[in-house]
Amino acid sequence: MQNKLKTQLKTIELFLKGSSFYRGVVLTIAAVLPLVIFSAIDLFVYAPSIAVGAFLNAPSDVPGSLRRKINGILISIVLTMLVTFIIFITKPVFVLLIVAIAVLSFAISLISVYGFRASLISFSGLLSIVLALAISKPNPAAIFLHIGLMGVGGLWYLFVSLFSKWIAPKKDDDQLLSDTLALTGQYLKIRGKLLTKSNKREKYAKKALILQTQISEKHETLRELLLEGRKRSGRSYSNERRLLIFISLVDIFELALANTLDYSKIDTLFGLQKSYLTPFKDLNKALGNHLITLSELLIKKETLPDFDSISKITDKTNSAIEDYVTEITLPKAREGAITLRNLQDYQKQLLQEVKAIRRVLSKVKDNTKASLKTQDSKQFLTSQDYRLNILWQHFSLKSPMLRHAFRVSLAMVFGFLLGSLFDLKNAYWIVLTIVVIMRPNYGLTKERSKNRIIGTIIGAIIATTVVLITQNTVVYMVLAVISLTFAFSLIQQSYKAGAAFITLNIVFVYALIDPNAFDVIQYRVIDTVIGATIAVLANYLLFPSWEYKNLDAVIVNAITSNSNYLKATKQLYHNKEAKNLDYKISRKEAFLAMSNLNAAFQRLTQDPKSKQKESVLIYDIVTLNHTILSAVASIGSYILNHKTTSASEEFDTIIDGITDTLKHVILKLEKDKTIPFTEVDDVNKAHQTLQNKYANLSEKRDIDIQAGQTEIDTNTLLDLQEAHLISNQLLWLKSLSANLINATSKYKSVFN
């Protein structure tokens, strides 16, 4: 009970010190301060329009480069002013108003094709339609004054945002690094469980895929924040420290991904000796927990935790290898011992990266890893294309974004007509619910609808209780401000909690205006349920965009990126110094492509059961692509972190054969017809040569053991490890690419 309380208190402390709460406070200040100031000078009549302008233009203020932040808010200001003007001038003629809602909602929804920040600007535009429906202005002068003051409110919010950034310039950076540390820690723990929990592997593998997607998304945002910031303001000690942590996190992620073993082989080798794997699992768990602790310290700014317990577990891994060799005896124990040795090497590298993060957090100056040149760093940034032809490319019913725009437009028009026809009080709440809930994906829309309804009911119950207890307007005012702050803070982290606080805020604001707050509560719940129902039905019935229909392009991109990553790994083996940057860029692209494929599969699982066509087959394709990525990462990570021999002709032949196989899979996905494929004999011969090399090294070592030379020298050990890993990973890759052909053939036969 005491530990549970401590955990809850820690969670609350981290939330209050985090960037989400800070952003919520900033938005509350931007929205409430004009009301307070203008009320104090008897000009309150102007304040609501300024507050509306601040509120409408806050959504696009998300972590990213300063230039994009400013441009995003300025574009949002212009858009919301224009939309509000059009709604106001069409209000007198109902038919014109309906046409305006339909056209504007469709056009604004399409802005989302330009990426995440654009989708938030689009949300501001849709929100401005709703607020314009809610606000009445008696004449043109009042309309222009309101719109002008909205613009002032938007600029006021931009000023407050920039000022808050000046006060706490690294709040977003630290929060993102903290989140990434925590996710990476969870990922390491999952990877450890995969070693020994053979009966739960599928469950943990699915969790690992979700975490990989989340980590890759965080990495992309951090690249923009840290590398763009470095380019803009030059190198500084604080920037370099954060960049060092980020680089170590990327390396940890690759190392963990590279250690996705052939678990069937692990089970064969250690079926009855799983106890020898336990120290390795425990070390992964300890390192994961340590990263989670460091993630908390990054926010709380406390002293570093002790590292002794991890050192003790590391010693146990050494003992595990020695005990295994003693029990099984050589040469029978060789393959298992080398597998454990490779696992130990990987964990030692993890250990070094974790220590590097500790050094940075303890402010030890060591900038050796942050020597990335500015021109090189640009290549790691994913630039958003803002050309007009991107928009034209989506003018096809095959485009999920066009379908989403149609759905939003029709749903908003239907919701508004329904509210107007039945003369519902505050009918625009129906439209508001549709705007905040509807997403291109059916599953996410359904989930948000459920959370919105539950959150609204919870908020309504709490608000009813407060209104029954007291009719004090001061209490309502304080609670309105507090609930506004928590609504803004929690809406991204917990939509259900955010919806509850939004309801509380609305009820208390209305309670200040109208003493009969129970009507507000009642209609709030009714309108939310109606709006949520319309949103879900629209996603299901109107131009539905089921995920299985959009998978081909995502799968092709993942396979192409894996193929490019494999080619870059081949070049790295030949020349580590010259090809290091090319390798890392290809690695980043492959990780991103895999993240997109994981995300697409997660969306597929959220669709109705009847629309999850061949989900098991698709999961096989996703898993095969993920395992191919892991095998390539394993080879690349070994080459980067070890002294290696020269790449052989056989290595090149096998890599070329695998890339040809992957090319064949891509052609099969892009063409409707079946393409025959035959394996090249040279590849089989090359692999036999590599296996013979490992066999010869093993035989030589056996002769040494028989001669009494039980201690193995470092060079022989490294040669054995390299030959074992390269040979086995290439064999695994060859098998995986062949399996991918079979899975793709079945996939195309089903969906053609």
Side-chain angles (χ1 to χ4, degrees), residues 545-561:
S545 183
W546 307 120
E547 199 61 39
Y548 75 89
K549 293 183 177 180
N550 307 314
L551 274 173
D552 279 18
V554 187
I555 294 172
V556 165
N557 187 41
I559 297 171
T560 303
S561 299

Side-chain angles (χ1 to χ4, degrees), residues 537-601:
L537 288 175
N539 264 72
Y540 191 86
L541 300 172
L542 301 175
F543 308 103
S545 183
W546 307 120
E547 199 61 39
Y548 75 89
K549 293 183 177 180
N550 307 314
L551 274 173
D552 279 18
V554 187
I555 294 172
V556 165
N557 187 41
I559 297 171
T560 303
S561 299
N562 277 343
S563 181
N564 292 336
Y565 185 25
L566 185 57
K567 291 174 187 173
T569 305
K570 171 187 166 183
Q571 297 302 320
L572 181 75
Y573 206 176
H574 283 276
N575 193 333
K576 290 185 188 181
E577 296 300 323
K579 298 299 178 181
N580 196 308
L581 181 62
D582 292 342
Y583 169 81
K584 289 184 176 180
I585 293 169
S586 297
R587 177 182 68 180
K588 174 224 165 188
E589 296 298 333
F591 282 14
L592 274 180
M594 193 63 229
S595 171
N596 291 335
L597 181 55
N598 291 344
F601 179 74

Side-chain angles (χ1 to χ4, degrees), residues 92-107:
V93 183
F94 190 73
V95 175
L96 274 180
L97 178 60
I98 295 299
V99 172
I101 293 171
V103 173
L104 285 173
S105 56
F106 174 77

Side-chain angles (χ1 to χ4, degrees), residues 452-686:
R452 181 79 179 186
I453 291 170
I454 294 170
T456 300
I457 291 171
I458 291 170
I461 291 169
I462 295 171
T464 301
T465 306
V466 173
V467 171
L468 284 172
I469 291 172
T470 180
Q471 280 75 46
N472 190 317
T473 54
V474 175
V475 172
Y476 294 164
M477 194 179 301
V478 171
L479 290 176
V481 172
I482 292 172
S483 57
L484 183 67
T485 302
F486 280 96
F488 292 149
S489 304
L490 289 167
I491 201 70
Q492 295 296 331
Q493 295 182 1
S494 171
Y495 190 70
K496 191 187 298 179
F501 279 108
I502 288 170
T503 299
L504 284 169
N505 174 258
I506 289 171
V507 171
F508 291 135
V509 168
Y510 270 89
L512 290 170
I513 302 168
D514 184 356
N516 190 10
F518 292 108
D519 278 351
V520 177
I521 296 169
Q522 173 189 334
Y523 284 109
R524 172 72 180 168
V525 174
I526 292 170
D527 291 343
T528 297
V529 172
I530 293 171
T533 304
I534 292 171
V536 173
L537 288 175
N539 264 72
Y540 191 86
L541 300 172
L542 301 175
F543 308 103
S545 183
W546 307 120
E547 199 61 39
Y548 75 89
K549 293 183 177 180
N550 307 314
L551 274 173
D552 279 18
V554 187
I555 294 172
V556 165
N557 187 41
I559 297 171
T560 303
S561 299
N562 277 343
S563 181
N564 292 336
Y565 185 25
L566 185 57
K567 291 174 187 173
T569 305
K570 171 187 166 183
Q571 297 302 320
L572 181 75
Y573 206 176
H574 283 276
N575 193 333
K576 290 185 188 181
E577 296 300 323
K579 298 299 178 181
N580 196 308
L581 181 62
D582 292 342
Y583 169 81
K584 289 184 176 180
I585 293 169
S586 297
R587 177 182 68 180
K588 174 224 165 188
E589 296 298 333
F591 282 14
L592 274 180
M594 193 63 229
S595 171
N596 291 335
L597 181 55
N598 291 344
F601 179 74
Q602 293 306 317
R603 292 194 297 270
L604 174 74
T605 60
Q606 293 172 334
D607 282 345
K609 292 290 183 183
S610 60
K611 306 300 178 184
Q612 295 180 26
K613 296 198 174 181
E614 299 296 330
S615 60
V616 175
L617 178 57
I618 293 168
Y619 179 67
D620 286 343
I621 292 174
V622 173
T623 305
L624 282 167
N625 274 287
H626 169 260
T627 314
I628 287 170
L629 175 64
S630 300
V632 178
S634 179
I635 296 171
S637 177
Y638 187 88
I639 293 168
L640 273 179
N641 296 294
H642 293 81
K643 182 183 177 183
T644 55
T645 58
S646 300
S648 64
E649 289 182 15
E650 290 78 19
F651 175 83
D652 290 349
T653 301
I654 297 170
I655 294 290
D656 292 342
I658 295 168
T659 52
D660 285 343
T661 306
L662 295 178
K663 190 187 297 180
H664 171 80
V665 176
I666 293 166
L667 288 171
K668 185 170 283 193
L669 282 165
E670 292 178 336
K671 309 289 183 184
D672 289 334
K673 58 184 181 181
T674 304
I675 304 166
F677 176 76
T678 53
E679 199 173 70
V680 182
D681 288 338
D682 288 349
V683 175
N684 293 325
K685 290 177 182 175

